PDB file of all heavy atoms in Angstrom:
ATOM      1  N   ALA A 100      28.922   1.154  14.768  1.00 91.00           N
ATOM      2  CA  ALA A 100      28.465   2.025  13.733  1.00 91.00           C
ATOM      3  C   ALA A 100      27.607   3.135  14.187  1.00 91.00           C
ATOM      4  O   ALA A 100      27.665   4.343  13.770  1.00 91.00           O
ATOM      5  CB  ALA A 100      27.654   1.239  12.696  1.00 91.00           C
ATOM      6  N   LEU A 101      26.772   2.891  15.260  1.00 90.00           N
ATOM      7  CA  LEU A 101      26.002   3.933  15.855  1.00 90.00           C
ATOM      8  C   LEU A 101      26.884   5.017  16.556  1.00 90.00           C
ATOM      9  O   LEU A 101      26.570   6.163  16.342  1.00 90.00           O
ATOM     10  CB  LEU A 101      25.154   3.305  16.964  1.00 90.00           C
ATOM     11  CG  LEU A 101      24.203   4.272  17.717  1.00 90.00           C
ATOM     12  CD1 LEU A 101      23.211   5.010  16.787  1.00 90.00           C
ATOM     13  CD2 LEU A 101      23.393   3.534  18.779  1.00 90.00           C
ATOM     14  N   VAL A 102      27.955   4.580  17.126  1.00 92.00           N
ATOM     15  CA  VAL A 102      28.891   5.574  17.714  1.00 92.00           C
ATOM     16  C   VAL A 102      29.476   6.451  16.667  1.00 92.00           C
ATOM     17  O   VAL A 102      29.576   7.659  16.822  1.00 92.00           O
ATOM     18  CB  VAL A 102      29.925   4.862  18.582  1.00 92.00           C
ATOM     19  CG1 VAL A 102      31.010   5.877  19.120  1.00 92.00           C
ATOM     20  CG2 VAL A 102      29.340   4.137  19.736  1.00 92.00           C
ATOM     21  N   PHE A 103      29.911   5.801  15.583  1.00 93.00           N
ATOM     22  CA  PHE A 103      30.521   6.579  14.488  1.00 93.00           C
ATOM     23  C   PHE A 103      29.469   7.496  13.878  1.00 93.00           C
ATOM     24  O   PHE A 103      29.823   8.630  13.464  1.00 93.00           O
ATOM     25  CB  PHE A 103      31.138   5.677  13.407  1.00 93.00           C
ATOM     26  CG  PHE A 103      32.369   5.048  13.847  1.00 93.00           C
ATOM     27  CD1 PHE A 103      32.574   3.647  13.685  1.00 93.00           C
ATOM     28  CD2 PHE A 103      33.405   5.759  14.377  1.00 93.00           C
ATOM     29  CE1 PHE A 103      33.794   3.065  14.103  1.00 93.00           C
ATOM     30  CE2 PHE A 103      34.634   5.211  14.815  1.00 93.00           C
ATOM     31  CZ  PHE A 103      34.742   3.855  14.592  1.00 93.00           C
ATOM     32  N   SER A 104      28.221   7.020  13.716  1.00 91.00           N
ATOM     33  CA  SER A 104      27.206   7.880  13.051  1.00 91.00           C
ATOM     34  C   SER A 104      26.864   9.087  14.046  1.00 91.00           C
ATOM     35  O   SER A 104      26.631  10.208  13.475  1.00 91.00           O
ATOM     36  CB  SER A 104      25.982   7.109  12.770  1.00 91.00           C
ATOM     37  OG  SER A 104      25.401   6.615  14.000  1.00 91.00           O
ATOM     38  N   LEU A 105      26.907   8.874  15.291  1.00 91.00           N
ATOM     39  CA  LEU A 105      26.678   9.986  16.211  1.00 91.00           C
ATOM     40  C   LEU A 105      27.785  10.954  16.144  1.00 91.00           C
ATOM     41  O   LEU A 105      27.551  12.169  16.133  1.00 91.00           O
ATOM     42  CB  LEU A 105      26.497   9.458  17.645  1.00 91.00           C
ATOM     43  CG  LEU A 105      25.247   8.589  17.954  1.00 91.00           C
ATOM     44  CD1 LEU A 105      25.335   8.077  19.405  1.00 91.00           C
ATOM     45  CD2 LEU A 105      23.966   9.429  17.739  1.00 91.00           C
ATOM     46  N   GLY A 106      28.956  10.505  15.982  1.00 90.00           N
ATOM     47  CA  GLY A 106      30.184  11.432  15.880  1.00 90.00           C
ATOM     48  C   GLY A 106      30.063  12.205  14.540  1.00 90.00           C
ATOM     49  O   GLY A 106      30.470  13.418  14.554  1.00 90.00           O
ATOM     50  N   ALA A 107      29.671  11.500  13.466  1.00 90.00           N
ATOM     51  CA  ALA A 107      29.594  12.246  12.174  1.00 90.00           C
ATOM     52  C   ALA A 107      28.514  13.285  12.182  1.00 90.00           C
ATOM     53  O   ALA A 107      28.627  14.361  11.584  1.00 90.00           O
ATOM     54  CB  ALA A 107      29.231  11.165  11.066  1.00 90.00           C
ATOM     55  N   GLY A 108      27.356  13.063  12.904  1.00 89.00           N
ATOM     56  CA  GLY A 108      26.325  13.996  12.962  1.00 89.00           C
ATOM     57  C   GLY A 108      26.586  15.187  13.788  1.00 89.00           C
ATOM     58  O   GLY A 108      26.053  16.312  13.588  1.00 89.00           O
ATOM     59  N   ALA A 109      27.445  14.984  14.753  1.00 89.00           N
ATOM     60  CA  ALA A 109      27.865  16.191  15.699  1.00 89.00           C
ATOM     61  C   ALA A 109      28.903  17.071  15.034  1.00 89.00           C
ATOM     62  O   ALA A 109      29.172  18.141  15.655  1.00 89.00           O
ATOM     63  CB  ALA A 109      28.361  15.622  17.016  1.00 89.00           C
ATOM     64  N   GLU A 110      29.401  16.780  13.913  1.00 87.00           N
ATOM     65  CA  GLU A 110      30.451  17.583  13.298  1.00 87.00           C
ATOM     66  C   GLU A 110      29.862  18.887  12.755  1.00 87.00           C
ATOM     67  O   GLU A 110      30.514  19.923  12.830  1.00 87.00           O
ATOM     68  CB  GLU A 110      31.133  16.830  12.197  1.00 87.00           C
ATOM     69  CG  GLU A 110      31.799  15.570  12.586  1.00 87.00           C
ATOM     70  CD  GLU A 110      32.935  15.777  13.536  1.00 87.00           C
ATOM     71  OE1 GLU A 110      33.577  16.845  13.500  1.00 87.00           O
ATOM     72  OE2 GLU A 110      33.290  14.856  14.361  1.00 87.00           O
ATOM     73  N   LEU A 111      28.703  18.887  12.118  1.00 86.00           N
ATOM     74  CA  LEU A 111      28.251  20.100  11.475  1.00 86.00           C
ATOM     75  C   LEU A 111      27.911  21.270  12.437  1.00 86.00           C
ATOM     76  O   LEU A 111      28.347  22.365  12.147  1.00 86.00           O
ATOM     77  CB  LEU A 111      26.971  19.711  10.656  1.00 86.00           C
ATOM     78  CG  LEU A 111      26.372  20.907   9.786  1.00 86.00           C
ATOM     79  CD1 LEU A 111      27.346  21.329   8.760  1.00 86.00           C
ATOM     80  CD2 LEU A 111      25.101  20.375   9.104  1.00 86.00           C
ATOM     81  N   PRO A 112      27.262  21.027  13.580  1.00 88.00           N
ATOM     82  CA  PRO A 112      27.099  22.142  14.521  1.00 88.00           C
ATOM     83  C   PRO A 112      28.411  22.688  15.033  1.00 88.00           C
ATOM     84  O   PRO A 112      28.540  23.912  15.279  1.00 88.00           O
ATOM     85  CB  PRO A 112      26.281  21.445  15.624  1.00 88.00           C
ATOM     86  CG  PRO A 112      25.486  20.375  15.036  1.00 88.00           C
ATOM     87  CD  PRO A 112      26.535  19.808  13.999  1.00 88.00           C
ATOM     88  N   LEU A 113      29.465  21.820  15.177  1.00 89.00           N
ATOM     89  CA  LEU A 113      30.727  22.303  15.620  1.00 89.00           C
ATOM     90  C   LEU A 113      31.405  23.178  14.565  1.00 89.00           C
ATOM     91  O   LEU A 113      32.072  24.155  14.867  1.00 89.00           O
ATOM     92  CB  LEU A 113      31.635  21.154  15.967  1.00 89.00           C
ATOM     93  CG  LEU A 113      31.177  20.265  17.116  1.00 89.00           C
ATOM     94  CD1 LEU A 113      32.122  19.050  17.336  1.00 89.00           C
ATOM     95  CD2 LEU A 113      31.012  21.055  18.383  1.00 89.00           C
ATOM     96  N   MET A 114      31.195  22.812  13.276  1.00 88.00           N
ATOM     97  CA  MET A 114      31.695  23.692  12.279  1.00 88.00           C
ATOM     98  C   MET A 114      31.106  25.025  12.324  1.00 88.00           C
ATOM     99  O   MET A 114      31.815  26.111  12.036  1.00 88.00           O
ATOM    100  CB  MET A 114      31.399  23.090  10.820  1.00 88.00           C
ATOM    101  CG  MET A 114      32.239  21.808  10.498  1.00 88.00           C
ATOM    102  SD  MET A 114      31.858  21.286   8.855  1.00 88.00           S
ATOM    103  CE  MET A 114      32.894  19.808   8.753  1.00 88.00           C
ATOM    104  N   LEU A 154      37.633  18.983  11.069  1.00 92.00           N
ATOM    105  CA  LEU A 154      36.288  18.487  11.297  1.00 92.00           C
ATOM    106  C   LEU A 154      35.718  17.836  10.059  1.00 92.00           C
ATOM    107  O   LEU A 154      34.963  16.754  10.188  1.00 92.00           O
ATOM    108  CB  LEU A 154      35.334  19.595  11.810  1.00 92.00           C
ATOM    109  CG  LEU A 154      35.655  20.120  13.202  1.00 92.00           C
ATOM    110  CD1 LEU A 154      34.694  21.340  13.482  1.00 92.00           C
ATOM    111  CD2 LEU A 154      35.354  19.040  14.248  1.00 92.00           C
ATOM    112  N   PHE A 155      35.981  18.359   8.907  1.00 91.00           N
ATOM    113  CA  PHE A 155      35.470  17.763   7.651  1.00 91.00           C
ATOM    114  C   PHE A 155      36.067  16.429   7.431  1.00 91.00           C
ATOM    115  O   PHE A 155      35.375  15.430   7.120  1.00 91.00           O
ATOM    116  CB  PHE A 155      35.800  18.649   6.482  1.00 91.00           C
ATOM    117  CG  PHE A 155      35.591  18.044   5.131  1.00 91.00           C
ATOM    118  CD1 PHE A 155      34.328  17.933   4.631  1.00 91.00           C
ATOM    119  CD2 PHE A 155      36.689  17.558   4.380  1.00 91.00           C
ATOM    120  CE1 PHE A 155      34.050  17.374   3.387  1.00 91.00           C
ATOM    121  CE2 PHE A 155      36.416  16.985   3.175  1.00 91.00           C
ATOM    122  CZ  PHE A 155      35.156  16.891   2.647  1.00 91.00           C
ATOM    123  N   ILE A 156      37.396  16.289   7.622  1.00 94.00           N
ATOM    124  CA  ILE A 156      38.090  14.941   7.485  1.00 94.00           C
ATOM    125  C   ILE A 156      37.471  13.986   8.513  1.00 94.00           C
ATOM    126  O   ILE A 156      37.200  12.830   8.182  1.00 94.00           O
ATOM    127  CB  ILE A 156      39.600  15.134   7.670  1.00 94.00           C
ATOM    128  CG1 ILE A 156      40.099  15.973   6.556  1.00 94.00           C
ATOM    129  CG2 ILE A 156      40.279  13.714   7.647  1.00 94.00           C
ATOM    130  CD1 ILE A 156      39.930  15.461   5.150  1.00 94.00           C
ATOM    131  N   ALA A 157      37.280  14.415   9.740  1.00 93.00           N
ATOM    132  CA  ALA A 157      36.711  13.522  10.747  1.00 93.00           C
ATOM    133  C   ALA A 157      35.340  13.106  10.447  1.00 93.00           C
ATOM    134  O   ALA A 157      34.952  11.941  10.567  1.00 93.00           O
ATOM    135  CB  ALA A 157      36.707  14.211  12.049  1.00 93.00           C
ATOM    136  N   LYS A 158      34.503  14.007   9.879  1.00 92.00           N
ATOM    137  CA  LYS A 158      33.154  13.681   9.518  1.00 92.00           C
ATOM    138  C   LYS A 158      33.175  12.646   8.339  1.00 92.00           C
ATOM    139  O   LYS A 158      32.401  11.707   8.300  1.00 92.00           O
ATOM    140  CB  LYS A 158      32.374  14.900   9.069  1.00 92.00           C
ATOM    141  CG  LYS A 158      30.952  14.581   8.553  1.00 92.00           C
ATOM    142  CD  LYS A 158      30.285  15.926   8.249  1.00 92.00           C
ATOM    143  CE  LYS A 158      28.802  15.606   7.702  1.00 92.00           C
ATOM    144  NZ  LYS A 158      28.019  14.920   8.680  1.00 92.00           N
ATOM    145  N   PHE A 159      34.055  12.884   7.393  1.00 92.00           N
ATOM    146  CA  PHE A 159      34.132  11.939   6.221  1.00 92.00           C
ATOM    147  C   PHE A 159      34.468  10.578   6.712  1.00 92.00           C
ATOM    148  O   PHE A 159      33.819   9.562   6.281  1.00 92.00           O
ATOM    149  CB  PHE A 159      35.088  12.459   5.192  1.00 92.00           C
ATOM    150  CG  PHE A 159      35.366  11.589   4.048  1.00 92.00           C
ATOM    151  CD1 PHE A 159      34.455  11.459   3.024  1.00 92.00           C
ATOM    152  CD2 PHE A 159      36.514  10.656   4.069  1.00 92.00           C
ATOM    153  CE1 PHE A 159      34.688  10.625   1.937  1.00 92.00           C
ATOM    154  CE2 PHE A 159      36.726   9.792   3.017  1.00 92.00           C
ATOM    155  CZ  PHE A 159      35.844   9.860   1.916  1.00 92.00           C
ATOM    156  N   ILE A 160      35.475  10.424   7.497  1.00 94.00           N
ATOM    157  CA  ILE A 160      35.910   9.108   7.983  1.00 94.00           C
ATOM    158  C   ILE A 160      34.881   8.447   8.837  1.00 94.00           C
ATOM    159  O   ILE A 160      34.542   7.220   8.613  1.00 94.00           O
ATOM    160  CB  ILE A 160      37.251   9.222   8.777  1.00 94.00           C
ATOM    161  CG1 ILE A 160      38.331   9.708   7.850  1.00 94.00           C
ATOM    162  CG2 ILE A 160      37.694   7.869   9.449  1.00 94.00           C
ATOM    163  CD1 ILE A 160      39.672  10.016   8.549  1.00 94.00           C
ATOM    164  N   LEU A 161      34.253   9.151   9.766  1.00 92.00           N
ATOM    165  CA  LEU A 161      33.246   8.574  10.623  1.00 92.00           C
ATOM    166  C   LEU A 161      32.017   8.148   9.830  1.00 92.00           C
ATOM    167  O   LEU A 161      31.457   7.028  10.073  1.00 92.00           O
ATOM    168  CB  LEU A 161      32.850   9.543  11.714  1.00 92.00           C
ATOM    169  CG  LEU A 161      33.938   9.865  12.779  1.00 92.00           C
ATOM    170  CD1 LEU A 161      33.460  10.965  13.664  1.00 92.00           C
ATOM    171  CD2 LEU A 161      34.387   8.641  13.490  1.00 92.00           C
ATOM    172  N   ALA A 162      31.507   8.940   8.896  1.00 91.00           N
ATOM    173  CA  ALA A 162      30.419   8.671   8.080  1.00 91.00           C
ATOM    174  C   ALA A 162      30.635   7.453   7.204  1.00 91.00           C
ATOM    175  O   ALA A 162      29.786   6.560   7.059  1.00 91.00           O
ATOM    176  CB  ALA A 162      29.960   9.829   7.251  1.00 91.00           C
ATOM    177  N   TYR A 163      31.859   7.284   6.629  1.00 92.00           N
ATOM    178  CA  TYR A 163      32.152   6.209   5.754  1.00 92.00           C
ATOM    179  C   TYR A 163      32.223   4.912   6.576  1.00 92.00           C
ATOM    180  O   TYR A 163      31.622   3.932   6.097  1.00 92.00           O
ATOM    181  CB  TYR A 163      33.610   6.490   5.143  1.00 92.00           C
ATOM    182  CG  TYR A 163      34.001   5.412   4.176  1.00 92.00           C
ATOM    183  CD1 TYR A 163      33.520   5.436   2.825  1.00 92.00           C
ATOM    184  CD2 TYR A 163      34.769   4.357   4.540  1.00 92.00           C
ATOM    185  CE1 TYR A 163      33.925   4.513   1.947  1.00 92.00           C
ATOM    186  CE2 TYR A 163      35.133   3.349   3.656  1.00 92.00           C
ATOM    187  CZ  TYR A 163      34.706   3.433   2.401  1.00 92.00           C
ATOM    188  OH  TYR A 163      35.094   2.421   1.467  1.00 92.00           O
ATOM    189  N   ILE A 164      32.840   4.894   7.713  1.00 92.00           N
ATOM    190  CA  ILE A 164      32.937   3.679   8.556  1.00 92.00           C
ATOM    191  C   ILE A 164      31.529   3.226   8.991  1.00 92.00           C
ATOM    192  O   ILE A 164      31.114   2.077   8.975  1.00 92.00           O
ATOM    193  CB  ILE A 164      33.842   3.903   9.759  1.00 92.00           C
ATOM    194  CG1 ILE A 164      35.282   4.120   9.229  1.00 92.00           C
ATOM    195  CG2 ILE A 164      33.848   2.678  10.670  1.00 92.00           C
ATOM    196  CD1 ILE A 164      36.272   4.392  10.320  1.00 92.00           C
ATOM    197  N   SER A 165      30.722   4.245   9.387  1.00 91.00           N
ATOM    198  CA  SER A 165      29.330   3.974   9.786  1.00 91.00           C
ATOM    199  C   SER A 165      28.493   3.348   8.731  1.00 91.00           C
ATOM    200  O   SER A 165      27.831   2.355   8.983  1.00 91.00           O
ATOM    201  CB  SER A 165      28.712   5.262  10.310  1.00 91.00           C
ATOM    202  OG  SER A 165      27.359   5.078  10.636  1.00 91.00           O
ATOM    203  N   MET A 166      28.524   3.919   7.509  1.00 90.00           N
ATOM    204  CA  MET A 166      27.786   3.421   6.416  1.00 90.00           C
ATOM    205  C   MET A 166      28.235   2.024   5.992  1.00 90.00           C
ATOM    206  O   MET A 166      27.453   1.157   5.682  1.00 90.00           O
ATOM    207  CB  MET A 166      27.867   4.393   5.197  1.00 90.00           C
ATOM    208  CG  MET A 166      27.170   5.694   5.451  1.00 90.00           C
ATOM    209  SD  MET A 166      25.442   5.585   5.597  1.00 90.00           S
ATOM    210  CE  MET A 166      25.020   5.068   3.861  1.00 90.00           C
ATOM    211  N   SER A 224      21.803   4.677   9.832  1.00 84.00           N
ATOM    212  CA  SER A 224      22.822   5.599   9.799  1.00 84.00           C
ATOM    213  C   SER A 224      22.365   7.054   9.778  1.00 84.00           C
ATOM    214  O   SER A 224      22.851   7.852  10.495  1.00 84.00           O
ATOM    215  CB  SER A 224      23.762   5.338   8.573  1.00 84.00           C
ATOM    216  OG  SER A 224      24.809   6.240   8.577  1.00 84.00           O
ATOM    217  N   ILE A 225      21.370   7.279   8.996  1.00 87.00           N
ATOM    218  CA  ILE A 225      20.823   8.633   8.872  1.00 87.00           C
ATOM    219  C   ILE A 225      20.084   9.060  10.167  1.00 87.00           C
ATOM    220  O   ILE A 225      20.212  10.158  10.684  1.00 87.00           O
ATOM    221  CB  ILE A 225      19.775   8.701   7.688  1.00 87.00           C
ATOM    222  CG1 ILE A 225      20.497   8.487   6.357  1.00 87.00           C
ATOM    223  CG2 ILE A 225      19.003  10.041   7.694  1.00 87.00           C
ATOM    224  CD1 ILE A 225      19.637   8.404   5.153  1.00 87.00           C
ATOM    225  N   GLY A 227      20.956   7.990  13.210  1.00 88.00           N
ATOM    226  CA  GLY A 227      21.965   8.329  14.237  1.00 88.00           C
ATOM    227  C   GLY A 227      22.607   9.652  14.020  1.00 88.00           C
ATOM    228  O   GLY A 227      22.753  10.482  14.879  1.00 88.00           O
ATOM    229  N   GLU A 228      22.887   9.984  12.747  1.00 89.00           N
ATOM    230  CA  GLU A 228      23.496  11.322  12.388  1.00 89.00           C
ATOM    231  C   GLU A 228      22.447  12.409  12.693  1.00 89.00           C
ATOM    232  O   GLU A 228      22.811  13.455  13.229  1.00 89.00           O
ATOM    233  CB  GLU A 228      23.906  11.366  10.898  1.00 89.00           C
ATOM    234  CG  GLU A 228      25.047  10.411  10.657  1.00 89.00           C
ATOM    235  CD  GLU A 228      25.496  10.560   9.080  1.00 89.00           C
ATOM    236  OE1 GLU A 228      25.006  11.514   8.470  1.00 89.00           O
ATOM    237  OE2 GLU A 228      26.336   9.739   8.750  1.00 89.00           O
ATOM    238  N   SER A 229      21.174  12.237  12.249  1.00 88.00           N
ATOM    239  CA  SER A 229      20.244  13.248  12.536  1.00 88.00           C
ATOM    240  C   SER A 229      19.965  13.457  14.066  1.00 88.00           C
ATOM    241  O   SER A 229      19.880  14.648  14.492  1.00 88.00           O
ATOM    242  CB  SER A 229      18.817  12.878  11.903  1.00 88.00           C
ATOM    243  OG  SER A 229      19.115  12.667  10.469  1.00 88.00           O
ATOM    244  N   LEU A 230      19.984  12.428  14.819  1.00 90.00           N
ATOM    245  CA  LEU A 230      19.809  12.563  16.298  1.00 90.00           C
ATOM    246  C   LEU A 230      20.944  13.340  16.947  1.00 90.00           C
ATOM    247  O   LEU A 230      20.744  14.310  17.681  1.00 90.00           O
ATOM    248  CB  LEU A 230      19.668  11.194  16.916  1.00 90.00           C
ATOM    249  CG  LEU A 230      19.420  11.176  18.415  1.00 90.00           C
ATOM    250  CD1 LEU A 230      18.103  11.854  18.850  1.00 90.00           C
ATOM    251  CD2 LEU A 230      19.476   9.749  18.940  1.00 90.00           C
ATOM    252  N   ALA A 231      22.185  12.977  16.524  1.00 91.00           N
ATOM    253  CA  ALA A 231      23.385  13.703  17.018  1.00 91.00           C
ATOM    254  C   ALA A 231      23.361  15.159  16.549  1.00 91.00           C
ATOM    255  O   ALA A 231      23.708  16.088  17.336  1.00 91.00           O
ATOM    256  CB  ALA A 231      24.641  13.026  16.626  1.00 91.00           C
ATOM    257  N   LEU A 232      22.958  15.294  15.307  1.00 90.00           N
ATOM    258  CA  LEU A 232      22.835  16.686  14.840  1.00 90.00           C
ATOM    259  C   LEU A 232      21.929  17.601  15.590  1.00 90.00           C
ATOM    260  O   LEU A 232      22.225  18.780  15.911  1.00 90.00           O
ATOM    261  CB  LEU A 232      22.536  16.669  13.268  1.00 90.00           C
ATOM    262  CG  LEU A 232      22.243  17.960  12.591  1.00 90.00           C
ATOM    263  CD1 LEU A 232      23.585  18.871  12.550  1.00 90.00           C
ATOM    264  CD2 LEU A 232      21.744  17.786  11.227  1.00 90.00           C
ATOM    265  N   THR A 235      23.224  18.151  19.285  1.00 91.00           N
ATOM    266  CA  THR A 235      24.484  19.029  19.311  1.00 91.00           C
ATOM    267  C   THR A 235      24.068  20.455  18.833  1.00 91.00           C
ATOM    268  O   THR A 235      24.559  21.416  19.390  1.00 91.00           O
ATOM    269  CB  THR A 235      25.531  18.435  18.414  1.00 91.00           C
ATOM    270  OG1 THR A 235      25.760  17.126  18.707  1.00 91.00           O
ATOM    271  CG2 THR A 235      26.775  19.346  18.580  1.00 91.00           C
TER     272      THR A 235
END
Side-chain angles (χ1 to χ4, degrees):
L101 178 62
V102 174
F103 284 132
S104 63
L105 293 176
E110 300 295 335
L111 185 59
L113 297 179
M114 289 183 183
L154 289 175
F155 170 77
I156 296 297
K158 179 178 176 60
F159 175 79
I160 295 174
L161 294 176
Y163 182 85
I164 296 175
S165 173
M166 292 293 293
S224 178
I225 295 174
E228 292 184 11
S229 301
L230 182 63
L232 174 64
T235 309

